Amino acid sequence: MKRLFKTYLEKPELAGLILLVLLVVLFQVRSHGVFLNQDNLRGILGILPEAGLVAIGVTILMISGEFDLSVGSVFALMPMTMAVLMVHGWPFPLALLAGLLVSAAIGFINGYITIRFAIPSFITTLGMLFMARSLTVVVSGGFPPLLPADLPTWLFTSFVGPGNMFRMSFLWFVAVAVLTSLMLSRTNFGNWIKATGGFLPAAAAMGIPTARVKIVCFMLCSVLSGFAGMLQVLRLGSPLPSIGEGMELQAVASAVIGGASLAGGIGTVMGGVVGTTLIRVIDNGLVLSHVDANWFKFAIGFLTIFAVVANAWMRKRAKAIKMEG
Amino acid sequence: MSDAIISVRDLHKWYSGVHALKGVTLDFKRGEALGLVGDNGAGKSTLINILSGVHRADQGEIKVEGRDVSIATPRDSMDLGIETIYQYNSMVPTMSIARNLFIGREPTRFSILGVGILDQKKMAEESVRAIANVDLHLRSPDALVGELSGGQRQGVAIARAMHFKSKVMILDEPTNHLSVKETNKVIGFVRGLKEQGVTGVFISHNMHHVFDCCDRIVAMARGEIVLDKRIGDTSIDEVHSVL
Ligand SMILES: Nc1ncnc2c1ncn2[C@@H]1O[C@H](COP(=O)(O)OP(=O)(O)OP(=O)(O)O)[C@@H](O)[C@H]1O
Ligand SMILES: [Mg+2]
């Protein structure tokens, strides 16, 4: 039992990963081999980075012990900001920088207000969900601005690789996943994030600047969400003010399915990636297996509850172990 | 200069109306194990929290090894060689012993603005040595703190303080919720501090424990010091009578 608990803490994404493999096999069989064919995989891998980047941000933030419900709105606001600035003649790189700064500022506000007034981030970011969405619609002026024709899609959304298997966005996604994963496991800052979310009083007593750690995580989460939103807009070719709606909950679901604990301290970037992939695979696999697509949300909901129940059970076992020891 | 490692003069602390410390003056002598006792709400933790940088005094001065110091954060306190071990909150249960030993003071291979790559080899080697030093019989520093018993956790906290060469180790009710056997282990640690040349400050509600491992006893009541004697010059009854 101790070993199981330890495995869960060290590799909380393991259960999700096993489930992912099982589902891939199941869908491959049910769809008579269509699921893993090149076209279908291209489709899945093409949109995975957008939800995946958001999930990475939400997972890291959750490990630090906080939530962000505003990611879907930032997902829309960041590219809208860029589009409007470009309509006003800003070159792409400057507009990108401005968009990222706006995202970072929203993350900072989320974090600062949450910590300064000691309120649950659930509430702060719920408020921000509405405000950032509203801002998106307001700056768009009611209808989506036209994007210039000469966008650097080659850097973000063009297909690359053997058989044009991936979009560039996938490479960004992999790079961000690897870097953030290393940050969590190999740097002192990663240690501080885990300590802050794992047990705040101890982290603070050991001199970790817990407020700053959390604010940085809020900012990282917002910046990744904004960046992901830009990827989607470049892929679709138009900055719709409604993109990313409902994304916050899917991102939380991804993190939790990937083994992150709602209480903080436990989780991995890999888990967020696995969780997102599971959701995308279920979405796609249900369609291919000719199951009524409305079962999709049911499946995600079920998985989420199942993951949280499993997490809670592990925690209870962990407590029992402490008592025995 | 005296042989005091920490001396506090006329410390006052108010918590929105509550006068928790009313002019405390006290010398912590080098190499001595000092027992701090007093009823609930006497101000023991308040005094300790000021020394460990969790709270700031509203008035009064603190000298460490004869120098005036200002302790604004837990880090300041640790940098002055003061380590504090609390009842619950010195360890993160979801992290390994090795990670816990170095929280906030991780060795890095290189760093920019204080953020850098962990030197995991050094952490592994030093943590093996650190826990060996306090005789904890732990299998491996990779075990999670959540798997340890309360006494073992306090042991790891003490090992951490020793590893960072603390000069003063403050233990605020470290034996609460521990079994008799584990309590004895912690008391053993406190006794062992002197051999290592570390000044100990031990807070407990159990007089027997304090008399068991301390050289000097200081009793507080309602924010003031009401008794300050060497263990040999007083008795449990006398201490009880002033509280
Ligand atoms: N953070 C705080 N905010 C407000 N009041 C506080 C705070 N901490 C302590 N107090 C008050 O200050 C007084 C001294 O408390 P303190 O915790 O120092 O007592 P103590 O001697 O450590 O007691 P115990 O033995 O119960 O731990 C009490 O009246 C307490 O209510
Ligand atoms: Mg106390």
Side-chain angles (χ1 to χ4, degrees):
Chain A
M1 187 46 72
K2 276 192 184 185
R3 180 149 310 144
L4 184 59
F5 175 50
K6 201 165 175 220
T7 309
Y8 161 66
L9 285 180
E10 280 170 359
K11 298 211 168 10
E13 72 279 9
L14 201 62
L17 199 58
I18 293 170
L19 188 59
L20 180 61
V21 172
L22 292 179
L23 279 180
V24 166
V25 172
L26 176 74
F27 286 137
Q28 175 72 355
V29 173
R30 286 285 314 257
S31 68
H32 307 288
V34 176
F35 185 78
L36 284 181
N37 79 12
Q38 187 171 339
D39 271 349
N40 196 48
L41 275 185
R42 262 178 69 167
I44 294 180
L45 296 179
I47 55 174
L48 179 65
E50 294 153 18
L53 286 166
V54 177
I56 289 176
V58 168
T59 303
I60 294 173
L61 184 61
M62 207 185 267
I63 297 171
S64 85
E66 300 290 346
F67 269 113
D68 189 351
L69 293 180
S70 69
V71 288
S73 301
V74 175
F75 188 88
L77 178 60
M78 185 295 195
M80 187 59 79
T81 309
M82 284 183 67
V84 170
L85 289 175
M86 286 189 290
V87 164
H88 284 84
W90 286 46
F92 181 88
L94 272 186
L96 173 64
L97 192 66
L100 292 175
L101 283 177
V102 166
S103 310
I106 289 181
F108 178 81
I109 294 168
N110 281 339
Y112 181 79
I113 291 182
T114 299
I115 289 157
R116 174 70 181 72
F117 299 102
I119 52 180
S121 47
F122 175 81
I123 299 300
T124 323
T125 58
L126 179 66
M128 189 56 85
L129 176 153
F130 290 116
M131 294 188 331
R133 181 65 67 183
S134 169
L135 276 179
T136 310
V137 180
V138 171
V139 297
S140 79
F143 50 93
L146 273 181
L147 290 178
D150 58 342
L151 291 176
T153 47
W154 56 271
L155 187 56
F156 296 108
T157 49
S158 298
F159 283 104
V160 290
N164 275 341
M165 194 65 188
F166 311 109
R167 283 178 186 270
M168 279 302 289
S169 56
F170 188 75
L171 301 185
W172 282 94
F173 174 49
V174 171
V176 168
V178 169
L179 285 178
T180 50
S181 193
L182 288 177
M183 173 193 80
L184 260 188
S185 59
R186 297 289 170 80
T187 69
N188 55 357
F189 188 70
N191 223 34
W192 302 349
I193 293 176
K194 287 188 224 159
T196 299
F199 192 38
L200 187 82
M206 293 314 293
I208 291 177
T210 54
R212 242 177 292 163
V213 168
K214 285 189 172 189
I215 288 176
V216 168
C217 290
F218 271 108
M219 291 172 71
L220 178 68
C221 179
S222 268
V223 166
L224 288 178
S225 306
F227 184 71
M230 182 200 71
L231 292 179
Q232 179 159 106
V233 165
L234 288 179
R235 180 170 62 84
L236 301 176
S238 174
L240 298 172
S242 61
I243 58 170
E245 268 172 6
M247 188 155 226
E248 54 287 335
L249 298 180
Q250 270 198 30
V252 171
S254 299
V256 170
I257 293 170
S261 159
L262 294 155
I266 304 171
T268 56
V269 168
M270 185 63 189
V273 171
V274 167
T276 316
T277 313
L278 253 178
I279 291 178
R280 295 270 56 91
V281 161
I282 291 171
D283 187 10
N284 183 276
L286 288 182
V287 174
L288 288 187
S289 332
H290 304 293
V291 176
D292 184 345
N294 291 310
W295 283 104
F296 168 61
K297 286 189 175 163
F298 184 93
I300 304 310
F302 177 81
L303 256 186
T304 307
I305 293 176
F306 180 77
V308 176
V309 170
N311 279 348
W313 182 78
M314 289 303 301
R315 255 202 306 284
K316 215 166 93 201
R317 288 300 315 162
K319 276 220 188 77
I321 289 168
K322 281 178 226 166
M323 296 304 172
E324 286 159 18
Chain B
M1 210 185 103
S2 66
D3 57 348
I5 183 147
I6 303 180
S7 40
V8 300
R9 290 285 170 272
D10 196 31
L11 278 194
H12 286 267
K13 177 76 191 172
W14 283 267
Y15 290 113
S16 54
V18 181
H19 199 174
L21 284 189
K22 303 173 185 163
V24 168
T25 294
L26 184 60
D27 284 338
F28 299 84
K29 300 215 174 69
R30 201 181 291 275
E32 175 181 74
L34 184 146
L36 191 55
V37 300
D39 241 333
N40 292 111
K44 307 181 294 294
S45 297
T46 302
L47 173 61
I48 278 1
N49 285 339
I50 290 170
L51 293 177
S52 62
V54 175
H55 292 312
R56 293 205 77 161
D58 294 307
Q59 198 183 308
E61 52 188 68
I62 306 172
K63 278 188 173 44
V64 173
E65 300 184 299
R67 281 183 305 116
D68 277 314
V69 295
S70 140
I71 304 175
T73 64
R75 196 53 199 254
D76 290 345
S77 171
M78 285 150 73
D79 289 346
L80 288 166
I82 304 169
E83 293 279 335
T84 311
I85 292 164
Y86 305 90
Q87 179 180 323
Y88 313 99
N89 59 2
S90 309
M91 295 280 145
V92 180
T94 49
M95 295 169 78
S96 71
I97 294 174
R99 290 282 172 125
N100 263 288
L101 282 171
F102 294 98
I103 287 179
R105 288 179 285 199
E106 298 86 354
T108 49
R109 276 192 271 138
F110 60 83
S111 66
I112 304 164
L113 298 173
V115 174
I117 309 288
L118 292 176
D119 188 342
Q120 286 179 310
K121 187 155 162 273
K122 190 168 174 196
M123 284 170 73
E125 286 168 3
E126 290 191 3
S127 53
V128 169
R129 223 175 313 136
I131 58 176
N133 281 344
V134 287
D135 188 24
L136 278 169
H137 306 292
L138 293 169
R139 273 156 294 127
S140 140
D142 296 325
L144 293 166
V145 164
E147 301 174 45
L148 303 181
S149 70
Q152 283 174 318
R153 284 187 210 194
Q154 295 298 39
V156 174
I158 290 168
R160 173 168 67 192
M162 296 303 231
H163 181 75
F164 285 99
K165 311 239 177 309
S166 75
K167 297 175 196 154
V168 181
M169 199 180 303
I170 302 172
L171 301 100
D172 191 351
E173 306 197 36
T175 56
N176 278 16
H177 309 297
L178 294 189
S179 67
V180 175
K181 203 170 128 216
E182 302 230 300
T183 300
N184 288 337
K185 210 184 278 173
V186 172
I187 289 174
F189 286 134
V190 176
R191 276 208 208 99
L193 290 179
K194 205 177 347 222
E195 291 153 33
Q196 319 242 13
V198 177
T199 307
V201 179
F202 180 61
I203 300 179
S204 174
H205 282 281
N206 187 318
M207 291 300 169
H208 295 283
H209 295 165
V210 177
F211 274 77
D212 236 17
C213 62
C214 296
D215 308 310
R216 176 180 160 209
I217 188 157
V218 170
M220 291 182 70
R222 293 166 297 279
E224 287 170 302
I225 291 176
V226 291
L227 177 140
D228 180 350
K229 284 190 172 171
R230 304 208 56 79
I231 289 285
D233 303 336
T234 184
S235 65
I236 292 185
D237 286 339
E238 185 188 357
V239 177
H240 272 304
S241 71
V242 298
L243 293 182

